[in-house]
Amino acid sequence: MIFDALPILSVGRVKGTRALYPAAAAIALAVFVIDAFTMIDIAVAVLYATVVLLVASAGSRVTTANVAWGCVALTLLGFMLSHDGHYSDGSVARCVVSLLAIATTSILALRNQASNDTLRKQLEMLDLTHDAIIVYDIDDRVTFWNQGAERLYGWTAQEAMGQPLHELTQTRASTMPIDEIRSETLLHGGWHGELQRMRKDGETVFISSRCTLWRDDRGKPLAILATSNDITARKRMEEELQRQQDELRATIDAIPGMVWSSSRDGCPDYMNRRWNEYGVELADDVRDIWQSIVHPDDLPAMQAAWREAVATGSALETTARIRRKDGVYRWMHVGAEPLRDANGDIVRWYGVNTDIEEHKQTQQALERSEAFLSDAQRLSRTGSIATRVPECDMGWSDETYRIFDVPRHVTPSVELIAARTHPDDIDIVKRAHERALRGESHIDSEFRLLLTDGSVKHVHYVAHLSAPVSGKVEYVGALMDVTDRVTAQEALDRSTAELAHVTRVTMLGEMAASIAHEVTQPLAAIVTAGDAAARWLNRPRPDLDEVGLSIGHMTRDAKRATDIIRQIRAMAQKRDPSPMPLDLNALAREAIELLRRELEAHAIEVETGDLQHVLRVSVDRVQIQQVVINLMMNAVQAMSAVNDRVRRLKIVTHKVDDGHAQLSVEDTGSGISEENSHRLFSPFFTTRKEGMGIGLSICRSIVEAHGGRIWAESQEGAGTTMQFILPLDEPAKVES
Ligand code: ADP
């Protein structure tokens, strides 16, 4: 137990010096007195060896050597004094034995001191080391505690000596219990690892400890030597590093993307938690994980993108379908950036995959709906135009380009529209443009285009002001190619006009008797007036006043006949409709006049409302007259079989509201059955044997073409009221 004894020796040597030296001196004096002045016949000087040993145990090697020499001198002096020149063989032999004993003891003591010094120096060196060195016995009692241990734990050697080490320092190990560490040390002769201890001031220190078992010559465990380094700072740094790593990992795991990093050739060696949730795990036996998870159809493109990125060192940007754990492929955006070393060489790649399945589906749905819209636009020949005002930045759809017959790369503009507009309609386009610049909420205009090949297109443009985007006013509009519709409408109008003409001619045939009467009556009156004038002239004294009166009648009747013929001619003529402002009441009165004979022939009473005031409408005279006559003729025919009641035709006009005039033709005829009332205005519907069934259908076309409406109200067996309304011309000026 050298380590146990050495400190005690080293401490005791200094302290015991004062007590040992006098003792040694006393013994030396006593031995000398006995040896020199008594006659005892034994080798008393041998006891000087005790003096040497005492001094050696407390003094230095020099002191010991000096004391040894002193003892030799005292032995020789004592020998000479006690024998006074008479030396017997026995006394010489005793003296020699004593000297040998002193010499042997001194040599052994000096050697022992030499080795003790060596050990002490080594011990001092152990004290000097920064490491904490502790020796403790099998019961954990501290037997050595160097300065390093004092600095590390705060207890002095004196405080620590004899204390149970693990209890004193509250030793803990993160890897295993203390008992196991002890067993391990006893079994294998040593242990090393990290421990946590409490300092004297209560602070925790982390140490790296190395224990070595000390055995005696027979192999029996004596003590454990433990050297320890303070690794608290390193440990704290490691903990901080770990914390930062954990935080970084948690941050990376929290990123709503699948983060990965790869070696410079692009083989991933790290994937974050989201990959695991997705069902993708890195495996040692799989070198290139992309091959196993990327859709086979997308793999070549992705590999090509990788090769390109690796070759050029540029960022990777691609999309691919990646398989999930349930086998479903989802579209992902794959992006990666290279990390370079100081020389600019790529060391690693850091990438993020973002699930864009929803975005892709939305995009596909958008593409589909765009395709649908494009198809629908082509089929309906309707293009769209978005216009920002006042800059007039425009966006045209494909169909709009087709309608304007402009190549797709040309930038759309108002000037381009003007260039394509028919010269006669350029004012319409200008007005629409001005309305847009004024910010009107709704724009609706129809105009023609004159294309480069000379063809003409009719277009209908409708636009409305949409919610302002970023403070800009924008019109969203539709441009419809209505050429077919307009052409068809024109054809329809032509055939309607022709049909109306045919109907009028037919009607004139039916009115022949009435017309003939209307024409012959003024002619007969002219003849009568002519005769009268001749008679007034042939008198002996011609009465010129009467002649003048007769000529006046002739002129009036001739005018009337001319008017009737003009009306008949107009009705018989084939001509395009030409609207003009006229009085609906005057028109009704003329119609009654024309049919007066017909009405009289059928014994029909005519009743009118006040037809004298003016109801100004802007219409084609002949067409509206046709409508009124047609309604009256139908009424005449409906009443032809009525004998049980008065045949009465009532024509009434009035202003419906601020904007419309209404004309009603009411009869007391057969009326219309509920069933027939729905088909009344259908072409070729007739209940008459000689009827064609197109009269009312033409009437409806004419009225609706004038912006009006026609309908019937009837009570079967009691009569019918046919009525129509027309927009008033300048309603404010119309007298009521
Ligand atoms: P048509 O006179 O050649 O039959 P219209 O189109 O003028 O052709 O009339 C269609 C049908 O409507 C008539 O056949 C008749 O049945 C019915 N109708 C028209 N006006 C009257 C009316 N005022 N009273 C009863 N029926 C009428």
Side-chain angles (χ1 to χ4, degrees), residues 487-535:
T487 314
Q489 187 62 48
E490 282 172 358
L492 191 68
D493 289 349
R494 269 198 306 279
S495 36
T496 306
E498 275 172 22
L499 207 56
H501 176 245
V502 170
T503 318
R504 281 199 304 274
V505 172
T506 311
M507 218 163 56
L508 285 176
E510 287 172 358
M511 292 160 58
S514 196
I515 291 166
H517 176 259
E518 282 300 301
V519 176
T520 48
Q521 201 196 26
L523 289 179
I526 289 169
V527 171
T528 311
D531 287 348
R535 273 199 307 277

Side-chain angles (χ1 to χ4, degrees), residues 97-379:
V97 167
S98 296
L99 288 172
L100 280 174
I102 292 167
T104 308
T105 304
S106 299
I107 290 166
L108 286 175
L110 284 169
R111 273 187 57 194
N112 191 28
Q113 273 188 326
S115 62
N116 274 351
D117 281 351
T118 308
L119 277 172
R120 197 178 297 114
K121 277 186 185 130
Q122 286 173 348
L123 203 59
E124 281 167 6
M125 281 172 70
L126 281 180
D127 257 354
L128 286 176
T129 179
H130 285 289
D131 292 349
I133 299 173
I134 299 170
V135 179
Y136 52 98
D137 63 19
I138 300 305
D139 301 324
D140 283 346
R141 301 270 162 199
V142 175
T143 58
F144 178 72
W145 186 269
N146 79 340
Q147 287 180 10
E150 283 185 6
R151 279 194 298 274
L152 181 57
Y153 300 117
W155 287 281
T156 61
Q158 263 149 348
E159 288 169 332
M161 292 295 261
Q163 299 287 338
L165 174 66
H166 298 319
E167 237 175 78
L168 180 71
T169 58
Q170 299 179 29
T171 311
R172 273 186 291 145
S174 56
T175 47
M176 58 174 79
I178 295 301
D179 288 344
E180 262 184 52
I181 294 176
R182 184 185 290 114
S183 311
E184 179 98 345
T185 312
L186 292 176
L187 189 67
H188 298 108
W191 176 88
H192 74 270
E194 290 177 2
L195 297 172
Q196 188 183 327
R197 283 188 169 143
M198 184 81 83
R199 283 168 51 92
K200 186 183 177 187
D201 58 12
E203 246 185 62
T204 302
V205 285
F206 293 91
I207 54 165
S208 167
S209 183
R210 184 173 288 277
C211 305
T212 310
L213 184 66
W214 196 297
R215 295 175 191 274
D216 64 11
D217 298 342
R218 284 165 295 161
K220 187 180 164 218
L222 287 177
I224 295 166
L225 168 71
T227 55
S228 308
N229 297 320
D230 185 356
I231 57 165
T232 308
R234 195 193 85 196
K235 205 75 187 166
R236 296 256 187 269
M237 212 137 70
E238 277 176 7
E239 276 176 6
E240 177 59 19
L241 206 64
Q242 187 62 42
R243 193 191 61 74
Q244 285 182 2
Q245 271 182 3
D246 291 347
E247 202 174 287
L248 185 66
R249 193 168 292 266
T251 309
I252 291 172
D253 282 344
I255 292 173
M258 295 155 79
V259 180
W260 52 269
S261 65
S262 77
S263 54
R264 97 183 71 170
D265 61 357
C267 292
D269 51 15
Y270 167 76
M271 287 179 153
N272 74 344
R273 189 167 52 82
R274 293 195 183 254
W275 281 98
N276 303 345
E277 289 165 7
Y278 201 76
V280 177
E281 307 255 2
L282 282 174
D284 292 340
D285 53 337
V286 180
R287 214 186 108 61
D288 187 357
I289 194 151
W290 298 126
Q291 283 205 345
S292 56
I293 56 171
V294 173
H295 194 287
D297 293 351
D298 302 337
L299 193 59
M302 181 160 169
Q303 284 172 332
W306 251 124
R307 277 195 298 276
E308 160 98 15
V310 170
T312 59
S314 55
L316 171 76
E317 192 102 10
T318 186
T319 56
R321 279 163 291 175
I322 290 182
R323 202 183 57 235
R324 205 169 51 183
K325 57 184 160 195
D326 57 5
V328 173
Y329 283 94
R330 290 177 71 84
W331 277 103
M332 296 234 172
H333 173 266
V334 184
E337 286 280 346
L339 175 75
R340 297 166 190 278
D341 62 13
N343 299 326
D345 297 329
I346 294 174
V347 186
R348 302 184 57 71
W349 288 87
Y350 289 97
V352 181
N353 284 22
T354 315
D355 192 319
I356 53 164
E357 182 66 28
E358 262 92 58
H359 171 75
K360 199 87 180 173
Q361 280 180 9
T362 312
Q363 194 184 3
Q364 283 168 354
L366 194 69
E367 281 168 6
R368 260 201 312 278
S369 76
E370 270 179 3
F372 284 157
L373 183 68
S374 180
D375 276 0
Q377 289 204 348
R378 203 166 37 247
L379 287 172

Side-chain angles (χ1 to χ4, degrees), residues 439-458:
E440 285 187 17
S441 62
H442 190 78
I443 291 165
D444 189 328
S445 64
E446 275 196 58
F447 54 96
R448 286 166 296 165
L449 303 179
L450 181 60
L451 304 181
T452 43
D453 61 0
S455 62
V456 173
K457 266 186 193 169
H458 292 261

